[in-house]
Every structure is written in structure tokens, then in C-alpha cells.
Amino acid sequence: MTNAVPRHRRRIATATTMTAVAAFVTAGVALAAPSNADSGSSTLAGSTPAYATASADLGQTGTAAPLSVRVYLSGQNAAGLQAFARAVSDPNSASYKHYLSAAQVQSQFGASQKQIDEVTAWLKQSGLKVSGTNSHWIDVTGTVAAAQKAFGTQLHNYRTADGTLRAPQSDAKIPSALAGVISGVSGLSQSTIHATTNHQKDPQTSKKGGISNNDPSCSDYYGQKPAPSSAPAVPAGYTTPATLAQCSVIPSELRQAYGVSSTGLTGKGATIAIVNWYGSPTMEADANKYAVNHGDKPFKPGQYSEVNDPSQYTNQDLCGFGDYGEESLDVDMAHGLAPDAKILTVAANSCFDSDLLSAEANIVDKHLADVVSNSWGEIQYSTNGDIDPAQQAAYNQIFMEGAAEGIAFDFSSGDCMNDDAYSISKGLNCDPSSSRAQVEWPTSSPWVTSVGGTALALNKQGNYAFEAPMGDTRSGQTAPGSASWTPAGETFGGGGGVSETEAQPWYQSWTVPNKLSTTLMNGTKAAHPMRTTPDIALNGDLYFSSTLVGQTDPSTGVYSEGGYGGTSVSAPSWAGILADAQQAQWGIPVGFANPAIYARSFLTTDVVQNPKQIAGSPTHSVVFQYPASSPAAGKYRLIQYGLDEGLPAARGYDEATGVGSPNALFLRSFGFGR
């Protein structure tokens, strides 16, 4: 398996990609389209990006230049949607689990045909051409001149760190008559923001090759093997005696550690969708080979399926031509934690929000799955500009519609700790353009489950020993016989923290300490409690307890397995746990899971900074040795684990691991009552 390039959220100047979601284009409808001039206008606050300053203004964009714009629709009853999504998800509500069908959701809460026709007529009146329409948005194409006419603003070019970008000189305007119909617009400004995956791989190509777990370079369980004498002595104050890091874990070990095996649950009857961009052409074969290699069953006929259209893929150079390692990781973990659940991979046409939103909406509109796992995200505040608020609102709307149908969405919490200056200077998986400490998106949406990471230790019997927060600080590669460790200080930890924009959802008020939820990432106090992440956590560590993944290298056609880490491991593992929980409650989907999680927070396994099993040492550490098959064969790293920079773990809820990790009692509780 080729080594993954360290994750960077690339921000390269490109026009926002608009996917034409083919539904219907209204024809032959004569409407008196409202105009800004005739009926007054309403301003779409936040539609001008931060980089559009007077000092960076390079003048008017050429009016004949083409562009694509997406106009987001509010739907028929935005307040009603939010109220219903809460009621149907709240264990204390009489409406709990009384889900609607996809058709009912669209009929009651999606944009009506009349609303779509009104917006379409107004856009066409300005000279824009409709390229795609659904109940969430309208995609249009046209010239800068037509867009300026429609949205009552001038588009200028601006000097930025990423080159010259186009943006509105002032916030866009829409007719006042459409203020309750249109929630936002994207595409007037050129977007430099796109999602990236939340995983990392070290060149450790066979820490648990085949079905054998007797690799001499690693321990089958925590503390099994001492570090070889050829490794340097650990510094004073580090865990002694030095022990070799655990071998990469496999699904059967995760099932046993988290109590799935003891419950007998397999996810039967549930469907898990995995959203990424593009799609691996060898995914099903790879997953089957991986399962068989490690004592599990391959997919049955019809158990695995895909939604993708390679002819529609765009921006492949910017999105890495397909992160097949991520897709393999997601499928291996979801299938491994819920072996009888159906798995559906949904390939977005790019890593840009417009295409990812289309993939999520497709799942909701057709009710393709019960659980949706997403191992990707992006920072909200960047030196190159902030995330588009219109797209954030569109995500929340889709997630609420999913909740109304009983669909659960989960997102990995990120791999750059709290994204502050220290994290991005030392982190292995950070965006260097982060402008301040922050939580990531969409994981900080109040309508998704934010899944954090842990470092999982197994005992001699293969059972759960302890967990620590996912947070590794590693030395450099050190040769055998060296007198001391090679300095490096790079770090890799789970994301979390307090949102600046999303208010505290009702379900967190039960559990999250007020002191945490009102302390923003910059240390200032919020006037009211805010959304805090993550919600729950599972194994995702890179060095202490990496996870084995199988993949065919697209450049060579050779299948191999290697150890991965990141909250990208945690998210699909949690999706498998949710599928098991659905089976436990007689096949009724859990739906939006956060209220159920927090209601059961007293049943989860609390994860703290200093696990009592290894208390007494100020710095927990293991020695990582590269196996014989690795390019770095025989070399060592000293790994300090359990310290998630800026996000300390504590008893009860914390910003490193949320309410903790699931276990057998947590799972069984879903079968206690309907």
C-alpha cells in the first residue's frame, strides 16, 4: 500500500463547482417574477467573503465571464422542520421515533413547486439559465452581468494569498417577496474551501499481516513485549519499563473490546451509507479480501452497493483523484463492526461542499440508508476566507430532514486537536491556513453526531483494558543502537471544542458542563452555552492502537494492508455500533442519535486523561518499531500518547472524547424498550 500524503486542506483558487442535480426544470409557467427594483430587496448577510476588502480590490470582474451559482431554498416550514426533527429524536417526546417517509418530508418541509417556480422565474428574468432544480436549491449558470443584475451587487476581483479571486463587493440582495423562500446563495464568490479526509497513515505496511498477529515488532496486547535493548532508553519521567506499541487492531478485536461480540448484535436489517468523493473501482473485492483475511465473512450478494457516476466527477486534481484509502477504511470498519448490515458507498462528484451536499441530499430524498458515516470535514475560519454560511445552513436543513426520516448522520471530529497555532505548527493532519483555534464543520452541526478518537488498549484476553484520548506526540525515526531519541515533536490528535456559531442543542444541556460550553476556543466567554464537540469517541489512534486497513493500490493493482489512524477510523466504527443498536431495538432506526447518546451517557465508558490502570507516570509512552516489511525497517519512534493538545480529557463530558466510548451495556440498553 502506498503511503498516504499527510493531510492538508488544500485551498487552491477555483470557482465553486456546481453539480446539476437533475430533477425537473419548469417550462411553460407564466409568472410575474418579483424584482429587486419593483418590490424592494432583502440582504443575504454573509454572502461577501472576508477577503473582499477595499485594499485587496483589483476592480470589476469582466461582465461576460461565466459563472455558476446555487440558490438555496428555505422550504415551506423551516421552523416546523426544526421542531419536528427535535420531537422525533427526543426520547422524552411523545413523537419519539414516529418518523416520516422521504415523500412526506419533501411534501411538508421541502420547497413547494410554487416557491421553486417563483425563484426560477426571477432568476430567468435576470438572464440566468437554470441547470438543475430540487426541493433544496436551484442551480443556475450565466454571466457576471446577469448575476450582478439578479443579486444587486457588483462582482470584483480581489488579491488573496491564493491568487486573484472573484467576490461580491457587497452582500447579495434578493427581492423582499422571496426573503422567506431563499436562505442563501453560493458561487458568487470563488471558493477556495473544500473538505479533506480525517486520517493518517505511517509507513507500517504489515503490523498484522494476514491472519497472524505475532509480528515481533509489536505487542498483541498492551504491555506484552518490552522494547528491544537496541532502542534508546526512554527519558526520565516517561512510562517504564518501555513497552512495544500494540499491533494494528482488526474489527474482531474492536467488536470484542466495545462489547458488540457479547451482545450477539451484527447490524442485521440496517443500511449504512458512506459518503466520500469519487469511488474505488475495487472496493467490494478489497473489503471481501480484508474480511476473509481476518476471520470475518465477505459480503453476501446484494449486501454491498454503490452510488457513483464517474462521468460527472470534477476537480480531481484538487481532490486527490480519489482517496481510496479512506473509502477502504470506512467500509472495512463499518462492515467489521456490523457484519450483517448493508453497506452503500455514495461517491460525491468532488470534495467541494456543493457536490458533498448533493450526495447527502440524495440519501435523504430517496431514504437510501439508516446511518450515514462521513470521515471528512473542513475548518470554518481561514486566513484565505471563511466557510460559506449559506452552505452551512443548507447542511443543517438536510440533516434535519434526515432526522425527520430517522436517518442518523455522523462526522469525524477532525485530526488537528483544537486547530490553534501550536496544533497547525506541529500537527500531522492540519490546515496551515487556520486563522484561530476552532471546531471543524460539519462535525459541529447540532444535527450530527461528532465522533472523536481514543487510544484503545487491549488486555491479554483481548478484552478492553483502558482508553486514553487520541493524542500522539512522536519522536523522529531513530536507528537501532542510537544513544538518544531523534527529536521531532510532531503530534496527531482528535478534534473538539466549542462552536462560535451554533448554540447549545437541548440534548447537551443535560450533560455538558456550563463552564465548558460557554468558554470559546479563544478563551473568551460566550453569553449563552454553545455546541460542544465531540459527542462520543472510539479508537482512532495512529501509533498506540492503529487500525489495519486493506486496499488495492490503483497504480499497481496490488492489494496490501497497513495501519491507519484518525477520527476517520472512529466515525465508521460508530456507524457500525448504531446499526447494531438498530437491530437491538427490533429494527427501528435510532435516527438522529445524539439525544439517545446523552440520555445514556451514564452507561458509556468514561475516558480520562490518566487511565488508572497505568497511573503514577506523568507521561504515558510506548516504543513504536517499524516491521521488517517497512521502508524504515528496524527503526523506532518514541510515542507519547493520551495527550490531545488543548483538549484535556476529564471525568464526565470533555472536549477530547465527549461522553466516552460505547460498551455492551450501552448497546443492550437500546433493547430495553420500544
Side-chain angles (χ1 to χ4, degrees):
M1 181 180 292
T2 56
N3 300 332
V5 176
R7 188 185 80 156
H8 300 288
R9 290 180 176 82
R10 294 172 292 273
R11 296 173 181 275
I12 301 173
T14 177
T16 300
T17 305
M18 290 294 130
T19 304
V21 184
F24 51 82
V25 178
T26 305
V29 179
L31 294 172
S35 69
N36 291 342
D38 295 339
S39 57
S41 62
S42 179
T43 300
L44 295 175
S47 51
T48 301
Y51 66 74
T53 63
S55 60
D57 195 336
L58 299 176
Q60 170 73 49
T61 304
T63 56
L67 81 172
S68 299
V69 174
R70 176 168 287 180
V71 178
Y72 293 99
L73 305 174
S74 303
Q76 298 175 71
N77 185 359
L81 172 60
Q82 183 170 351
F84 183 82
R86 171 173 174 168
V88 79
S89 306
D90 189 343
N92 297 312
S93 167
S95 299
Y96 185 44
K97 298 180 186 175
H98 292 287
Y99 305 124
L100 299 178
S101 68
Q104 288 172 321
V105 168
Q106 293 305 303
S107 174
Q108 294 184 35
F109 302 116
S112 68
Q113 188 61 55
K114 179 176 182 294
Q115 290 173 325
I116 292 171
D117 290 344
E118 289 174 343
V119 177
T120 298
W122 163 64
L123 292 167
K124 287 183 175 180
Q125 183 186 69
S126 301
L128 295 168
K129 180 180 179 180
V130 173
S131 58
T133 304
N134 60 25
S135 64
H136 308 286
W137 56 71
I138 299 173
D139 286 335
V140 294
T141 60
T143 63
V144 165
Q148 290 182 154
K149 178 181 178 182
F151 295 101
T153 184
Q154 296 295 304
L155 302 184
H156 281 215
N157 295 329
Y158 293 89
R159 184 188 306 106
T160 76
D162 281 339
T164 300
L165 300 179
R166 180 197 68 233
Q169 195 178 31
S170 59
D171 280 343
K173 296 179 178 60
I174 58 173
S176 295
L178 297 178
V181 180
I182 295 173
S183 61
V185 59
S186 64
L188 293 176
S189 58
Q190 289 180 301
S191 173
T192 62
I193 297 175
H194 63 75
T196 59
T197 52
N198 287 310
H199 74 260
Q200 182 63 265
K201 180 180 182 292
D202 199 271
Q204 56 197 61
T205 55
S206 62
K207 287 195 71 182
K208 189 176 288 182
I211 60 173
S212 171
N213 62 351
N214 296 314
D215 192 306
S217 67
C218 58
S219 297
D220 296 339
Y221 55 88
Y222 178 78
Q224 180 199 23
K225 297 177 184 177
S229 59
S230 57
V234 299
Y238 279 65
T239 305
T240 55
T243 182
L244 280 177
Q246 293 180 135
C247 301
S248 298
V249 296
I250 56 176
S252 60
E253 292 172 321
L254 293 173
R255 291 197 301 269
Q256 185 169 343
Y258 287 121
V260 178
S261 297
S262 66
T263 66
L265 297 169
T266 62
K268 185 176 182 180
T271 300
I272 301 171
I274 293 168
V275 176
N276 209 321
W277 38 96
Y278 317 136
S280 167
T282 60
M283 187 63 257
E284 184 173 9
D286 289 350
N288 286 338
K289 186 175 183 66
Y290 176 82
V292 171
N293 279 354
H294 302 290
D296 286 336
K297 295 179 181 179
F299 286 118
K300 300 172 185 176
Q303 188 181 357
Y304 173 83
S305 57
E306 300 177 349
V307 174
N308 62 61
D309 185 356
S311 69
Q312 298 300 310
Y313 293 169
T314 64
N315 290 314
Q316 289 173 279
D317 55 335
L318 303 178
C319 300
F321 294 92
D323 193 339
Y324 298 158
E326 178 62 61
E327 186 176 358
S328 298
L329 165 59
D330 294 347
V331 173
D332 288 349
M333 291 304 101
H335 181 47
L337 272 293
D340 287 333
K342 291 183 178 180
I343 305 294
L344 170 70
T345 55
V346 180
N349 292 333
S350 80
C351 59
F352 283 83
D353 284 306
S354 53
D355 288 323
L356 289 163
L357 277 164
S358 294
E360 307 286 357
N362 188 37
I363 295 170
V364 171
D365 291 348
K366 299 176 182 177
H367 199 101
L368 297 179
D370 306 301
V371 183
V372 186
S373 183
N374 303 268
S375 291
W376 49 268
E378 57 198 284
I379 58 173
Q380 298 185 65
Y381 310 109
S382 166
T383 54
N384 298 329
D386 299 341
I387 194 170
D388 190 335
Q391 290 177 329
Q392 287 184 281
Y395 273 117
N396 279 335
Q397 183 184 51
I398 289 169
F399 299 149
M400 284 188 285
E401 290 186 0
E405 294 180 28
I407 300 175
F409 289 86
D410 74 53
F411 280 83
S412 51
S413 68
D415 296 341
C416 189
M417 296 71 75
N418 63 1
D419 282 288
D420 67 0
Y422 177 84
S423 295
I424 63 175
S425 69
K426 298 290 187 180
L428 295 176
N429 230 8
C430 295
D431 185 340
S433 73
S434 177
S435 59
R436 57 185 182 270
Q438 59 184 289
V439 292
E440 300 186 8
W441 182 267
T443 193
S444 56
S445 165
W447 293 101
V448 308
T449 298
S450 176
V451 187
T454 68
L456 172 66
L458 304 176
N459 63 20
K460 188 174 183 178
Q461 292 73 39
N463 295 321
Y464 182 101
F466 63 85
E467 278 177 293
M470 178 183 130
D472 295 338
T473 299
R474 68 181 191 180
S475 73
Q477 291 182 0
T478 303
S482 298
S484 60
W485 294 98
T486 304
E490 293 171 305
T491 188
F492 182 80
V498 180
S499 171
E500 294 183 29
T501 58
E502 302 290 339
Q504 183 182 72
W506 83 98
Y507 53 81
Q508 286 200 313
S509 64
W510 310 335
T511 307
V512 178
N514 187 264
K515 183 177 180 180
L516 279 183
S517 62
T518 56
T519 304
L520 299 180
M521 307 294 281
N522 61 6
T524 61
K525 284 288 184 180
H528 305 284
M530 305 298 287
R531 165 72 164 133
T532 310
T533 63
D535 298 302
I536 201 162
L538 295 89
N539 181 64
D541 198 87
L542 177 60
Y543 287 101
F544 180 82
S545 53
S546 63
T547 303
L548 201 66
V549 176
Q551 176 200 347
T552 294
D553 186 330
S555 63
T556 64
V558 176
Y559 173 90
S560 64
E561 298 181 353
Y564 277 71
T567 54
S568 277
V569 178
S570 313
S573 299
W574 169 249
I577 295 288
L578 269 189
D580 297 332
Q582 177 172 327
Q583 182 187 7
Q585 59 182 26
W586 301 279
I588 302 172
V590 175
F592 174 47
N594 287 8
I597 292 171
Y598 284 88
R600 291 168 171 80
S601 60
F602 66 99
L603 299 177
T604 58
T605 302
D606 199 8
V607 180
V608 297
Q609 196 69 43
N610 297 303
K612 64 181 180 180
Q613 291 89 340
I614 52 173
S617 175
T619 304
H620 304 311
S621 63
V622 292
V623 173
F624 180 93
Q625 182 180 9
Y626 288 94
S629 59
S630 168
K635 292 185 177 180
Y636 305 102
R637 289 187 191 272
L638 179 62
I639 306 299
Q640 176 187 346
Y641 71 90
L643 183 62
D644 196 358
E645 195 276 319
L647 303 171
R651 295 205 176 276
Y653 180 90
D654 59 66
E655 296 165 304
T657 63
V659 299
S661 62
N663 53 45
L665 185 58
F666 175 88
L667 266 173
R668 289 193 178 101
S669 71
F670 285 89
F672 290 168
R674 290 182 184 269

